[in-house]
């Protein structure tokens, strides 16, 4: 926190007061077990639904995030992550001990990724629950806002699980200033 970047960059703070190490940004938990916490590794139970958490933050120093014009503060466009996106990669086939991988990318930053591993005695197949993704930031309502998705013939054609991913930012326009946030989405696990 004492040495943030002087340029737009994803999740580079290692001692965030709320999240901890921002480089560890994908975690999951069993939706049906309210006593569990989000973790980096979970047990895959057949037929269960899992909530997945993906944290994102533009870790630029606050000194560059705003500019002063005529005595009034405005966002500094040069400090924003531009065309910032979150993409979730799920294995297309059933695997032993698969992972949910989250990828954060922007036009003016390096791409970063993290994963949450699922452990099971059998091969596991993931299914994304369409329209389950919600984005939470300081600039949106408390319950978050649904991520934009398009569907065709029952399949998700654009959104969080389809390249290049879902745009981030309060308006889902890809502009991410220093305010970060998180996504929550749901997957279903089935044994092969």
């Amino acid at each position: 926190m004492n040495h943030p970047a002087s340029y737009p960059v994803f999740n580079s703070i290692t001692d965030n007061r709320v999240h901890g190490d921002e480089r560890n940004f994908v975690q999951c938990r069993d939706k049906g077990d309210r006593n569990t916490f989000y973790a980096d590794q979970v047990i895959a139970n057949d037929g269960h639904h899992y909530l997945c958490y993906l944290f994102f933050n533009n870790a630029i120093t606050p000194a560059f995030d705003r500019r002063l014009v005529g005595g009034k503060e405005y966002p500094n466009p040069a400090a924003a992550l531009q065309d910032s996106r979150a993409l979730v990669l799920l294995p297309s086939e059933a695997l032993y001990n698969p992972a949910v991988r989250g990828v954060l990318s922007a036009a003016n930053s390096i791409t970063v990724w993290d994963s949450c591993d699922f452990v099971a005695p059998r091969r596991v197949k993931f299914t994304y629950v369409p329209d389950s993704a919600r984005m939470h930031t300081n600039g949106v309502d408390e319950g978050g806002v649904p991520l934009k998705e398009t569907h065709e013939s029952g399949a998700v054609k654009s959104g969080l699980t389809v390249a290049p991913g879902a745009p981030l930012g309060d308006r889902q326009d890809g502009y991410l200033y220093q305010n970060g946030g998180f996504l929550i989405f749901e997957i279903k696990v089935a044994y092969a």
Side-chain angles (χ1 to χ4, degrees), residues 42-46 50 98 118-121 124 126 189 191:
V42 295
I43 296 172
N45 292 304
D46 189 30
Y50 290 81
F118 282 73
V119 179
V124 173
F126 291 146
V189 162
Y191 288 171

Side-chain angles (χ1 to χ4, degrees), residues 17 22 34 57 120 132 164:
R17 289 180 191 97
E22 295 178 353
R34 297 195 182 274
N57 181 40
S132 66

Side-chain angles (χ1 to χ4, degrees), residues 63-137:
F64 295 134
D65 197 45
R66 297 273 177 199
R67 61 190 170 111
L68 209 54
V69 178
K72 202 170 179 186
E73 268 195 9
Y74 294 94
N76 179 5
L81 285 163
Q82 298 171 11
D83 193 25
S84 64
R85 293 179 178 273
L87 174 65
V88 169
L89 301 172
L90 302 174
S92 58
E93 59 191 50
L95 300 173
Y96 285 102
N97 304 327
V100 171
R101 183 188 286 182
V103 179
L104 297 172
S105 65
N108 59 336
S109 177
I110 62 168
T111 298
V112 296
W113 67 270
D114 187 35
S115 64
C116 176
D117 300 320
F118 282 73
V119 179
R122 298 180 56 193
R123 289 183 300 124
V124 173
K125 173 76 173 153
F126 291 146
T127 305
Y128 170 72
V129 176
D131 298 316
S132 66
R134 296 188 72 77
M135 182 168 47
H136 301 259
T137 70

Side-chain angles (χ1 to χ4, degrees), residues 2-100:
N2 294 327
H3 304 286
S6 59
Y7 48 87
V9 63
F10 277 112
N11 297 13
S12 68
I13 303 294
T14 58
D15 61 348
N16 181 307
R17 289 180 191 97
V18 177
H19 182 80
D21 189 341
E22 295 178 353
R23 299 170 301 176
N24 179 18
F25 60 88
V26 176
Q27 298 162 357
C28 303
R29 75 170 181 85
D30 192 316
K31 182 180 179 182
D33 186 353
R34 297 195 182 274
N35 294 321
T36 61
F37 296 99
Y38 286 96
D40 298 323
Q41 190 175 65
V42 295
I43 296 172
N45 292 304
D46 189 30
H48 284 224
H49 285 244
Y50 290 81
L51 295 176
C52 302
Y53 166 90
L54 189 151
F55 174 84
F56 58 89
N57 181 40
N58 180 354
I60 191 168
T61 182
F64 295 134
D65 197 45
R66 297 273 177 199
R67 61 190 170 111
L68 209 54
V69 178
K72 202 170 179 186
E73 268 195 9
Y74 294 94
N76 179 5
L81 285 163
Q82 298 171 11
D83 193 25
S84 64
R85 293 179 178 273
L87 174 65
V88 169
L89 301 172
L90 302 174
S92 58
E93 59 191 50
L95 300 173
Y96 285 102
N97 304 327
V100 171

